[in-house]
Amino acid sequence: GENVEQHPSTLSVQEGDSAVIKCTYSDSASNYFPWYKQELGKRPQLIIDIRSNVGEKKDQRIAVTLNKTAKHFSLHITETQPEDSAVYFCAASWQGYGGADGLTFGKGTHLIIQP
Amino acid sequence: EAGVTQFPSHSVIEKGQTVTLRCDPISGHDNLYWYRRVMGKEIKFLLHFVKESKQDESGMPNNRFLAERTGGTYSTLKVQPAELEDSGVYFCASSQGLVRGKVSNEQFFGPGTRLTVL
């Protein structure tokens, strides 16, 4: 089955600096890579996703890159703000026209934005 | 539009007892997933329904866990009898699937049920 590794487990950055979280996956059949943000006591929420036919995707201060050959994908947050403090989870799965598998998650990264 | 809802938000039971968790997906979402996060570990997939059918239950830990989705709407996850290692947060997620020729597989998560087995 799929295995997703996520690093680092904790990341502390100064407000305004950039943060990068990295994940690797093992199953070459996986073609969908979402990132979820979970604030304390709240539900995980999708912040960005990328499919295997794309190498990079941006949404304002957030970007995700994917290297299919190396089976790596990364989340980049620029100009970090206090509200970015949360736990971030990467995930991988197979998705097709007829359906989608359950997600395999990384262990999460606790991002701390220092004022 | 109401999001995914789960009930109860917290449950504290003793080892050997039975607990039933409920998930109400977003209306019209054919796909329903159950996940579990044990303290300090990753969110793990348990099973996947498409409408009322179990599409994949490869993540279910053992036969003490029983999930149902009669009628293809809400789902229940029953743990009987509960053991200490079943403690954790149980999440439900739903996605729309194939609608009018377009695939929408983004999974929307519920707030979770925190289960504590003493």
Side-chain angles (χ1 to χ4, degrees):
Chain A
E2 176 64 274
N3 182 50
V4 176
E5 299 285 340
Q6 181 172 349
H7 298 280
S9 55
T10 303
L11 178 60
S12 181
V13 301
Q14 290 294 123
E15 183 179 348
D17 287 351
S18 295
V20 180
I21 301 170
K22 298 183 178 183
C23 290
T24 61
Y25 63 99
S26 61
D27 190 349
S28 57
S30 291
N31 61 0
Y32 175 64
F33 307 93
W35 286 87
Y36 283 83
K37 174 184 180 183
Q38 187 178 21
E39 296 176 76
L40 191 62
K42 297 191 176 180
R43 69 190 71 198
Q45 291 203 302
L46 180 73
I47 55 170
I48 195 167
D49 57 13
I50 191 167
R51 286 169 171 77
S52 59
N53 58 346
V54 174
E56 184 175 1
K57 184 177 178 180
K58 284 184 181 179
D59 183 3
Q60 300 182 339
R61 298 186 296 109
I62 294 173
V64 57
T65 57
L66 171 66
N67 182 328
K68 279 191 301 182
T69 304
K71 296 194 183 76
H72 288 172
F73 58 113
S74 300
L75 177 71
H76 304 252
I77 305 174
T78 58
E79 300 171 17
T80 53
Q81 299 169 4
E83 55 265 34
D84 294 330
S85 293
V87 179
Y88 291 79
F89 294 95
C90 64
S93 78
W94 174 86
Q95 289 200 347
Y97 195 70
D101 289 346
L103 299 171
T104 300
F105 284 89
K107 288 188 176 182
T109 295
H110 186 193
L111 177 62
I112 301 165
I113 308 300
Q114 303 278 7
Chain B
E1 179 183 297
V4 178
T5 58
Q6 291 186 245
F7 182 82
S9 56
H10 294 85
S11 180
V12 181
I13 61 173
E14 294 193 350
K15 176 181 169 179
Q17 289 187 320
T18 297
V19 63
T20 300
L21 314 181
R22 173 171 170 146
C23 168
D24 285 77
I26 293 172
S27 178
H29 280 197
D30 286 344
N31 294 281
L32 189 150
Y33 304 83
W34 282 98
Y35 295 89
R36 175 174 74 172
R37 188 179 190 205
V38 172
M39 181 66 71
K41 298 198 173 182
E42 67 270 33
I43 301 171
K44 280 206 162 183
F45 167 76
L46 297 178
L47 88 158
H48 170 204
F49 283 99
V50 178
K51 296 184 181 177
E52 68 276 10
S53 300
K54 290 177 186 173
Q55 181 77 10
D56 180 1
E57 50 185 333
S58 61
M60 294 287 262
N62 51 61
N63 59 9
R64 296 185 293 104
F65 289 74
L66 176 64
E68 294 181 325
R69 193 184 181 195
T70 307
T73 54
Y74 71 92
S75 175
T76 58
L77 179 65
K78 182 162 73 173
V79 185
Q80 179 183 29
E83 298 288 344
L84 299 178
E85 63 264 25
D86 300 333
S87 296
V89 180
Y90 288 77
F91 289 104
C92 172
S94 71
S95 68
Q96 196 169 31
L98 182 62
V99 177
R100 291 190 291 275
K102 190 174 179 182
V103 173
S104 176
N105 285 323
E106 176 184 347
Q107 292 187 27
F108 295 85
F109 277 74
T113 293
R114 182 174 293 279
L115 175 64
T116 302
V117 183
L118 302 175

